[in-house]
Amino acid sequence: MMDIEMPKMHPSQQDMDLIDILWRQDVDLGAGREVFDFSYRQKEVELRRQREEEEEKQKQRLREQEKALLAQLQLDEETGEFVPRSAPLTLTNTTNAAVTQSAPLCLDASVPPSTDLMMPPDIPAFTHNPLLPGSLDQAWMELLSLPELQQCLNMQMQESLGMDGFMKPSTEAQDPNYSQYLPGMDHLSSVQTEVCPPEYINTYDGSFNTMVSPNLSQMSLNVPEVGAEFGPEELNELFYPEMEVKVNSGPLTSDEGSTVSQLAEIPSDPPVSPMDLHSFSPGTFSSGKPEPMSEFPDSDSGLSLDSSPHTSSPGKSLNGDGYFGFSDSDSEEMDGSPGDMESDYAEIFPLVYLTDGASQASLSEKPPAEAQQMKAKNPKIEPAEASGHSKPPFTKDKQKKRFEARLSRDEQRAKALQIPFTVDKIINLPVDDFNEMMSKHQLNEAQLALVRDIRRRGKNKVAAQNCRKRKLENIVGLEYELDSLKEEKERLMKEKSQRSTSLREMKQQLSTLYHEVFGMLRDEHGKPFSPNEYSLQHTSDGTVFLVPRLKKTLVKNN
DNA sequence: ACCACATGTCATACA
DNA sequence: AATGTATGACATGTG
């Protein structure tokens, strides 16, 4: 990969590196760039707003005190020199005005209205990186707000997309960068993808001078000051670190050497062959130095590897010396042919995975199991990690270890015992196909036992996952049922209360009616009946009788 | 260091 | 009997 010389080490460089590290960690953890950009952008915008507000106030103060200097600087701007604005003092009156106008817009849409075509909403994180010097950022905003520059950059981008032959020679060196940017726009709208990000980001590119200077000279602007603040590599890795894999942008005449060239030749399907991955992984497999793998899982019943899991015979070793150590039952299995395993490992696995459609030529040059796993398990993530652009040495080991950790124990065991099948096939093939596959290879006892164990464990693993899934679903269902029952109980309690109230009211009405009726009754002498001696009784057919209480008891007794 | 959680694995019962 | 599935229990890795 071409070393891009950074014109000067700006104080923000460390911050940029830190951002890069953090971003990579997120990517390792599976976080998408969109997620990262979004959350990070939120903070950036806020910080940016505060920074610009403070800076604006400071400029207002200093402008009064430094008129002479401001006038001088204004002259500089008129001569076409874009003075590095390391301090707000360097801003001219017109610049201040421009900043004053553009700042609120930038906080929101990130660009002045005239730059809408260039800067999608997704990009402001870059523009308003709080870690960048505020004055520099403002200068950048001013540049972008110039229609001439926008036009220039648009033409540049169009040319890079093959829509225009203009400026063809000067952009050839730029194409590799485009090839990194464009595929990463998958998450953006097509319009954004076509129009916005490439030129926007490439404005920072170190080769910006070469490309844009002719047009910039017409504008009397000295852009390199801006581009110098951002190394293209940092920008690439910060915002589009994984797009090399997705690129298939045609022939590239890159100055960055074989890495980019190989990338350009990667067929779109499959996106990355094992060989490509191998080639693009900086020092991943062919470093020739021992690769301690302390985190290698030491299964209770499986094998435990020593510090060199990626081993073959010493003569063919891809990772130096080392061998597979085994514990428990697998150690016995390995006793059968440890030497063979090491000596034949590099030869067998290409053959092994050739049966799965992998390229013999590709696989013959690298640990095919890893390549197979990369293709099978992480078709999207791994290529990015294997990219030649994922350069920072401090992240290499971590990425490598994480990648290695992605090989399951059984996959590593299968690799160790040179099982000529993929773990996926061992586990998922139907019994008949599985037996047929097994019959086509002569496996020793250890290999047969391992294959059986892999199949058993693999199926049980799926069963366990399903079991847990069902368990969770049951829990959710029970919780739902519990809520439903609570609601039902609540409803019934309300209904009970209502009926109780209704019953009480009916009893009250009945009592009133009883006394009313009883009070209207008179005996043959016209006297009312005593409630103590008589009571009203009614039958089921609605007939009402006046019953003497004594007589009633007698009737009851009868 | 401790904890909670997720996941892999084993043992066992059962289909 | 062989194979697959379900599940409790345990181990391990990770945040």
Side-chain angles (χ1 to χ4, degrees):
Chain A
M1 181 174 172
M2 179 178 66
D3 288 333
I4 300 174
E5 182 181 1
M6 298 298 292
K8 56 183 178 181
M9 192 66 175
H10 195 276
S12 65
Q13 181 58 55
Q14 292 180 347
D15 295 327
M16 296 293 288
D17 290 339
L18 180 59
I19 292 171
D20 191 37
I21 295 171
L22 294 174
W23 184 89
R24 292 177 185 284
Q25 291 175 347
D26 282 353
V27 169
D28 283 347
L29 293 174
R33 180 168 59 251
E34 299 87 347
V35 175
F36 174 84
D37 286 348
F38 178 78
S39 60
Y40 186 65
R41 198 182 307 132
Q42 299 293 99
K43 297 177 181 178
E44 276 188 318
V45 171
E46 293 179 3
L47 292 173
R48 186 73 200 138
R49 180 181 291 112
Q50 294 178 2
R51 180 186 295 269
E52 290 192 358
E53 287 176 356
E54 293 176 0
E55 206 163 13
E56 188 64 23
K57 292 178 182 178
Q58 189 178 7
K59 280 182 290 185
Q60 292 290 349
R61 288 199 311 270
L62 294 175
R63 184 165 47 184
E64 297 298 328
Q65 301 172 358
E66 307 289 344
K67 284 186 178 180
L69 179 58
L70 286 172
Q72 179 63 35
L73 291 173
Q74 190 169 10
L75 280 176
D76 290 343
E77 190 176 44
E78 289 173 358
T79 60
E81 290 186 15
F82 205 78
V83 178
R85 291 166 187 160
S86 58
L89 293 178
T90 60
L91 292 170
T92 65
N93 287 337
T94 55
T95 302
N96 275 326
V99 172
T100 303
Q101 293 175 357
S102 63
L105 290 172
C106 292
L107 293 175
D108 187 12
S110 77
V111 287
S114 61
T115 61
D116 284 347
L117 287 178
M118 297 178 57
M119 305 170 72
D122 304 54
I123 300 301
F126 182 6
T127 305
H128 301 289
N129 190 331
L131 300 175
L132 298 175
S135 57
L136 171 66
D137 199 10
Q138 291 162 7
W140 168 236
M141 297 305 301
E142 293 174 23
L143 281 174
L144 288 179
S145 66
L146 293 174
E148 293 87 349
L149 179 56
Q150 297 169 27
Q151 184 179 5
C152 169
L153 294 175
N154 277 323
M155 287 190 297
Q156 167 193 344
M157 192 281 300
Q158 290 174 356
E159 185 278 335
S160 70
L161 292 176
M163 297 186 295
D164 188 350
F166 184 63
M167 289 173 58
K168 198 73 174 183
S170 63
T171 55
E172 285 183 350
Q174 191 74 10
D175 279 344
N177 289 329
Y178 282 142
S179 68
Q180 299 158 21
Y181 301 146
L182 296 177
M185 299 303 159
D186 293 343
H187 62 292
L188 300 175
S189 69
S190 59
V191 174
Q192 291 169 336
T193 301
E194 293 177 1
V195 178
C196 304
E199 73 259 24
Y200 178 66
I201 293 173
N202 274 306
T203 306
Y204 293 92
D205 193 288
S207 59
F208 184 86
N209 272 341
T210 311
M211 300 179 54
V212 188
S213 287
N215 292 44
L216 290 179
S217 63
Q218 299 173 5
M219 298 187 293
S220 299
L221 286 176
N222 189 2
V223 178
E225 284 293 327
V226 176
E229 300 293 339
F230 306 92
E233 191 168 344
E234 279 74 10
L235 293 174
N236 295 352
E237 296 176 356
L238 182 60
F239 294 97
Y240 304 94
E242 63 180 11
M243 51 188 58
E244 301 92 328
V245 179
K246 303 173 183 176
V247 166
N248 189 9
S249 58
L252 299 175
T253 58
S254 169
D255 293 334
E256 298 189 7
S258 60
T259 298
V260 173
S261 299
Q262 292 174 356
L263 285 170
E265 297 171 0
I266 297 172
S268 57
D269 186 15
V272 177
S273 69
M275 182 177 186
D276 296 326
L277 292 172
H278 177 55
S279 301
F280 301 155
S281 300
T284 299
F285 301 119
S286 58
S287 61
K289 55 186 177 182
E291 296 184 8
M293 193 172 174
S294 58
E295 72 270 33
F296 185 86
D298 185 9
S299 172
D300 46 354
S301 65
L303 73 168
S304 74
L305 303 183
D306 67 356
S307 59
S308 297
H310 300 286
T311 56
S312 62
S313 65
K316 300 175 181 179
S317 175
L318 296 168
N319 303 290
D321 58 358
Y323 63 95
F324 290 95
F326 294 85
S327 63
D328 299 344
S329 60
D330 283 344
S331 63
E332 299 175 358
E333 297 171 358
M334 282 305 297
D335 290 341
S337 58
D340 292 341
M341 182 271 290
E342 292 190 11
S343 60
D344 295 339
Y345 170 69
E347 297 173 353
I348 287 182
F349 269 83
L351 190 63
V352 168
Y353 291 95
L354 193 59
T355 61
D356 292 326
S359 168
Q360 171 79 55
S362 299
L363 293 172
S364 63
E365 297 185 18
K366 65 190 56 57
E370 294 167 349
Q372 176 69 18
Q373 290 305 323
M374 285 193 291
K375 190 175 78 174
K377 285 202 163 186
N378 301 288
K380 293 182 179 179
I381 297 175
E382 294 303 329
E385 294 182 356
S387 161
H389 291 276
S390 301
K391 273 291 188 181
F394 40 81
T395 62
K396 267 188 209 169
D397 291 344
K398 191 175 183 179
Q399 292 177 352
K400 183 167 57 184
K401 287 179 179 177
R402 288 187 176 186
F403 161 73
E404 289 165 352
R406 289 186 183 116
L407 287 179
S408 69
R409 289 184 235 181
D410 279 336
E411 286 165 346
Q412 296 178 22
R413 291 168 184 148
K415 187 168 76 172
L417 282 189
Q418 311 165 37
I419 303 299
F421 320 116
T422 63
V423 170
D424 180 69
K425 282 194 170 184
I426 292 173
I427 295 171
N428 296 319
L429 276 183
V431 178
D432 293 342
D433 295 344
F434 174 74
N435 290 332
E436 182 180 352
M437 179 179 73
M438 294 285 282
S439 65
K440 290 180 180 176
H441 294 77
Q442 292 225 341
L443 303 179
N444 58 35
E445 283 295 321
Q447 288 174 321
L448 288 173
L450 179 58
V451 168
R452 283 194 298 268
D453 284 346
I454 287 174
R455 188 172 174 88
R456 174 180 52 78
R457 279 192 291 260
K459 290 190 173 298
N460 185 250
K461 182 168 76 176
V462 175
Q465 290 169 346
N466 292 333
C467 181
R468 285 167 175 142
K469 185 181 177 182
R470 275 191 303 273
K471 189 181 289 184
L472 287 176
E473 289 172 350
N474 286 338
I475 291 174
V476 172
L478 289 173
E479 288 175 345
Y480 178 80
E481 188 176 347
L482 181 62
D483 290 341
S484 298
L485 291 174
K486 285 180 178 177
E487 291 177 359
E488 177 75 1
K489 179 185 177 183
E490 193 73 16
R491 187 182 61 80
L492 292 174
M493 294 295 284
K494 278 184 179 178
E495 185 177 331
K496 177 186 177 183
S497 175
Q498 291 173 351
R499 295 188 184 281
S500 176
T501 301
S502 177
L503 179 62
R504 198 165 48 245
E505 291 175 353
M506 293 175 67
K507 284 181 177 179
Q508 183 63 38
Q509 291 174 356
L510 178 61
S511 175
T512 302
L513 181 62
Y514 179 93
H515 287 98
E516 184 178 344
V517 171
F518 195 89
M520 294 171 67
L521 297 177
R522 294 292 185 273
D523 60 8
E524 60 273 20
H525 305 293
K527 293 181 180 178
F529 292 96
S530 171
N532 295 327
E533 297 179 4
Y534 296 91
S535 66
L536 289 176
Q537 303 270 326
H538 64 87
T539 61
S540 58
D541 61 355
T543 308
V544 178
F545 299 94
L546 181 65
V547 182
R549 290 196 180 273
L550 179 62
K551 202 171 186 177
K552 187 183 79 175
T553 55
L554 290 176
V555 171
K556 276 189 176 178
N557 290 335
N558 291 336

